Structures are given as structure tokens and as C-alpha cells.
Amino acid sequence: MPHRPYTKLHKTPAQLAQHLIERGLPLPSRTRSFAEKKIAEIGYERLRIYFRSRRQLHLPDKPFIPGTTFKDIVALYEFDERLRLFCFLHTGRFEVALRNQLSEIVSDRYGSHPFFDNAGFQSAKTRAAMLGRLSDIFYKKNDQRARHYFDEYNPPMLPPIWVLKEFMTFGNLSHAIEQMSNPVKNDLATAFGLPTYDMLENWVKVLNDLRNICAHHDRLFNRSFQKQPQKYISKNIPAAPQHKLKALLECLEYLLSLHGFRDPIVATVAKMIQKCPAVSPNELGY
């Protein structure tokens, strides 16, 4: 399909509100003033996905579904905010549990400074690369724990793994696990109740993606996730469609349940959906 030049001009909140009216969204005078205010605060582009979810995209001019109100759109947007905060909290708990398990496993096998031992890694090359990456992470941190280690100890040039793990992001952690020896990977999968490391690696990447979406204030509502969890067939996890949020939350709840967390993550989101009539459960895989 040939490209065409982009010719759309900037529109003010008032002009965008008029555009919504022309597409069938009722905005009586008081509601229109509220709509213009919200468009100015949030941005039309950020609200667009919520508008589109309530438009008849198969019809000319893509009119709004009859009965849709601007209040419904705001309710969807605010629901998504609450959902992101909830998911960010629980993916953060998983990140902490994963860090700690990795630290426990490698320090038990290889001592306080496993990054100086080739046996803990796929190869001497991957160990050296990881050592460089960890050093870079640690030495850039202006943290009290880092300063304390600099002031008190040397050698070695890095603190023990149970300190260093606290400076690793979810992305750093995921990459570090990939470089570890197969025995470490297998122990880690067992610690999280999964039959293979490949499945754990897949789930970690999926949940890292979920965390990043939340951290960058992206949309969870009505999202089809590109990174999808492998199915743990014998436990039927996830049971929901694998491209939907519920599937990711089923995996997250299972992983956390093995490490002392008993929060009913999946059920809590179901209750959040029930409290927001503007949301269709199908849009989240429920």
C-alpha cells in the first residue's frame, strides 16, 4: 500500500471535543467543558485508545456505539490507572522474590562472590561480561550501601551477591539469569515450581514486559500482549487466553504463591472490573 503525506493539523481541546460530537459522542454544555478540560490535562492521543474501543470501526466515519458517554471514557482511563498501579506492585514483589532466590542459589553453590567463579556461568566469556556489567551497575550507584563497601572493604572490588542483587533492575536480573550455569537455572525453575528453566525464562520475560508497561504508564486495558506465557499444561496455567492480561496474572499469582504471597491477584482484578461497569471483562481476558 503506497504511503501518503501526513496532513493533519493541530487541534485545540475545543476542536477535538467538536470532533467527538461529530462522531456521535454526546457532549452537552457542562459535559463538553469537562471533556475539553480532560483532553487538555491528559492529551487526546492518550485517550484515543479508549475512544476507539467504544467506536464502530467497521462503519463509515467510525461513529461511537450508541449510549456511550464521555464519562464512560474517563472511567476506562481511570480504571486503567488503578490496574497499572496494582500490577506494578505485584510484579515488583515477584522481582524481589526472583532476586532473592537467585542470590540464595548461587551463593549456596559458589560462595559470596560467585561472579568470580566460571563454574556458575555458561562460560568464562559470559562470566567476564557479567562481571563487567555488574561492576558498571554498582559503581554508578551513589548509595549508602555502595559507599559503605568502598570505605570498608577491598578486595574484592565488588560486594557479595546478596548486597549486589539489590542494585539490579528487572532487566539486569533477567539478563544475568540467562548467563548462569544450567544447574543454577534448573534450581531457580524448581524454586518457582516450574518444570523447566525455559518456561521460567519465558514467564520472567513476559512479566518483565508487564512491569515495563506499567512503569511507563502504557495501556493494559484491552491489550493483546506480544510476549505470551508458555502454558504449564499439567497445572492448566494460564487458563485464560495467553495474549490477555488475565493469563499473565495467573502466572504471576502462581509464582508468588510459592514464596509466601497469598494475595488473590486474579480475583482482585475481577472485583475491580465488577466495580467499573464501563469495562467489559472480555477486554482483559476475564
Side-chain angles (χ1 to χ4, degrees):
M1 185 175 180
H3 290 82
R4 57 195 175 97
Y6 188 88
T7 58
K8 293 181 181 180
L9 301 176
H10 169 262
K11 291 183 178 180
T12 66
Q15 290 172 320
L16 291 166
Q18 182 60 36
H19 171 76
L20 295 174
I21 292 171
E22 292 169 359
R23 294 297 180 268
L25 187 69
L27 291 177
S29 57
R30 178 178 291 183
T31 305
R32 176 163 182 162
S33 176
F34 174 69
E36 291 176 10
K37 179 174 178 289
K38 283 296 182 183
I39 290 170
E41 287 176 357
I42 299 168
Y44 185 87
E45 192 62 33
R46 189 165 182 80
L47 290 169
R48 182 189 295 275
I49 191 66
Y50 308 99
F51 290 133
R52 282 182 63 85
S53 72
R54 298 300 179 260
R55 293 176 69 172
Q56 301 174 87
L57 302 179
H58 62 290
L59 296 180
D61 293 332
K62 305 170 185 175
F64 280 90
I65 297 168
T68 303
T69 67
F70 190 79
K71 183 179 178 181
D72 294 333
I73 303 303
V74 173
L76 291 177
Y77 177 77
E78 292 178 346
F79 169 83
D80 210 14
E81 280 189 317
R82 295 191 297 275
L83 186 61
R84 281 197 301 273
L85 288 171
F86 179 83
C87 292
F88 188 73
L89 170 65
H90 287 86
T91 53
R93 287 177 172 173
F94 172 63
E95 179 184 349
V96 169
L98 184 64
R99 278 185 196 165
N100 194 57
Q101 281 302 308
L102 178 63
S103 171
E104 290 295 307
I105 289 168
V106 297
S107 59
D108 182 60
R109 279 183 170 272
Y110 307 110
S112 61
H113 291 75
F115 29 82
F116 294 122
D117 188 341
N118 289 339
F121 292 83
Q122 291 290 315
S123 67
K125 183 177 180 179
T126 57
R127 184 201 63 79
M130 181 54 58
L131 179 59
R133 189 172 290 106
L134 292 174
S135 299
D136 189 53
I137 293 168
F138 183 67
Y139 281 95
K140 285 182 177 179
K141 290 289 184 181
N142 186 26
D143 181 274
Q144 184 177 358
R145 291 163 294 181
R147 292 196 302 272
H148 172 74
Y149 191 83
F150 292 146
D151 293 341
E152 296 290 331
Y153 303 103
N154 191 30
M157 64 179 185
L158 290 174
I161 184 64
W162 50 81
V163 173
L164 192 58
K165 69 179 173 67
E166 295 300 321
F167 299 94
M168 300 172 73
T169 66
F170 206 155
N172 297 148
L173 182 62
S174 178
H175 184 76
I177 292 169
E178 290 177 14
Q179 310 308 317
M180 302 307 297
S181 66
N182 290 338
V184 169
K185 292 179 177 180
N186 293 335
D187 285 352
L188 198 57
T190 300
F192 282 96
L194 295 179
T196 66
Y197 168 72
D198 286 345
M199 183 175 291
L200 176 64
E201 180 182 39
N202 167 255
W203 285 21
V204 167
K205 288 181 178 179
V206 165
L207 294 175
N208 186 27
D209 191 46
L210 173 60
R211 181 206 173 280
N212 288 341
I213 288 168
C214 296
H216 295 104
H217 312 290
D218 208 342
R219 169 181 57 95
L220 291 178
F221 162 77
N222 202 23
R223 190 184 195 101
S224 290
F225 289 84
Q226 291 184 334
K227 292 181 180 177
Q228 300 171 18
Q230 294 178 17
K231 194 173 185 70
Y232 190 173
I233 296 173
S234 66
K235 293 188 179 294
N236 195 31
I237 302 173
Q242 287 159 271
H243 66 290
K244 285 297 186 181
L245 178 65
K246 186 181 182 183
L248 277 62
L249 297 182
E250 288 173 338
C251 296
L252 179 59
E253 183 174 306
Y254 173 76
L255 293 170
L256 285 176
S257 71
L258 299 177
H259 291 272
F261 297 95
R262 296 290 181 261
D263 292 5
I265 296 172
V266 177
T268 299
V269 171
K271 290 178 181 178
M272 292 171 64
I273 295 170
Q274 290 174 358
K275 292 179 181 178
C276 186
V279 177
S280 166
N282 289 336
E283 292 172 316
L284 296 161
Y286 276 74

